[in-house]
Amino acid sequence: MNITGAARGLGRELATRFGKLGAKVACVDIDEMGNYETAQIIKDSGGVAISYKCDVSKKEQIKDLHKKVRADLGPVDILINNAGIVWGHLYIDPAKDQFITDQVNVNLMAHIWMKREILPSMLERNHGHIVAMSSMSSMAGVANISTYTLTKWGINGMMECLHNELKRFNTDVKTTTILPYFVETNPKVTSFLDIRLPEIPTHVAGSQMMKGILEEQRIFSVPGHMLTMTGIIRLLPDNLQMLFNNIVRVNILGEPGDELILNKYKR
């Protein structure tokens, strides 16, 4: 199996869980040290894992990665596209142009390039499972994470299209899209959150994700009830949506300097 963003957080959690199940794990991340540690944790537990440094936003690096993984571990049966830049910005902040480009390239384009590289080999073997890490933010427009949300909405649509295209091939290749709520993976991100529902511990989220992946669920949220609940809320009139959104409020606090930009445009 191949998992991106394996150096920490959910990537490490899922990689180590699959390692315990006996999977040969290709740990992929641009963070060489953290990625090596994840692979070592798996090996120390008796599993098989290799660390690969890769910038998943670069097509050529992905091609090289796939060649190495196939040579070292064999064909990729499970691809988990988990790598992402989990951060936000004020929509109109002119200083964020490069950040926007980087976030779209890593959070969205990397999914496209990775699937286009590995999917043909799955189709040839009529076997494989592609998993995409989306977010519950793809079901709501939360202020200060517009680009992040854009990428997650894009993932949902892309995976829906892929699922429908695969039907035409009459193949056993499966797809799964996971929409997690906020997970305790990064203290820096946590410090910018003002939420009424608590973050989900990484091990709890990992357990629920493994269950959904192994059951080959096409799309699910973590926790499981949130996707249905949010879908129902979105069918309500705007005033009622606002009422429910206030109950489960999520505020992404701004960075230093955001207040100056806000005051410039406030009326």
Side-chain angles (χ1 to χ4, degrees), residues 1-12 14-15 26-31 35 52-58 62 65 79-87 102-112 114-115 131-135 148 151-152 155 158 178 180 185 209:
M1 70 160 292
N2 191 77
I3 179 165
T4 67
R8 65 181 64 79
L10 285 174
R12 174 174 288 183
L14 293 175
C27 301
V28 180
D29 206 296
I30 198 169
D31 176 359
N35 201 41
Y52 299 91
K53 182 179 180 180
C54 178
D55 181 346
V56 293
S57 68
K58 309 295 185 184
I62 289 174
L65 167 72
L79 167 63
I80 301 181
N81 283 314
N82 167 74
I85 299 175
V86 186
W87 199 244
D102 293 342
Q103 194 165 48
V104 171
N105 284 339
V106 173
N107 290 17
L108 181 58
M109 297 307 298
H111 283 244
I112 296 174
M114 190 69 74
K115 287 199 288 288
V131 181
M133 194 67 67
S134 182
S135 166
Y148 179 80
T151 62
K152 298 305 181 178
I155 288 170
M158 177 171 51
I178 306 175
T185 57
M209 289 177 183

Side-chain angles (χ1 to χ4, degrees), residues 2 27 57 66 79 94 111 120 123 133 150 162 197 224 255 261:
N2 191 77
C27 301
S57 68
H66 190 206
L79 167 63
H111 283 244
L123 291 173
M133 194 67 67
L150 175 154
L162 178 60
L197 300 178
E255 295 182 299
I261 299 173

Side-chain angles (χ1 to χ4, degrees), residues 50-80:
I50 299 178
S51 171
Y52 299 91
K53 182 179 180 180
C54 178
D55 181 346
V56 293
S57 68
K58 309 295 185 184
K59 285 188 290 184
E60 291 307 312
Q61 290 193 29
I62 289 174
K63 289 181 180 295
D64 291 341
L65 167 72
H66 190 206
K67 290 177 183 176
K68 292 176 184 176
V69 171
R70 294 183 76 172
D72 295 338
L73 300 174
V76 177
D77 291 323
I78 302 174
L79 167 63
I80 301 181

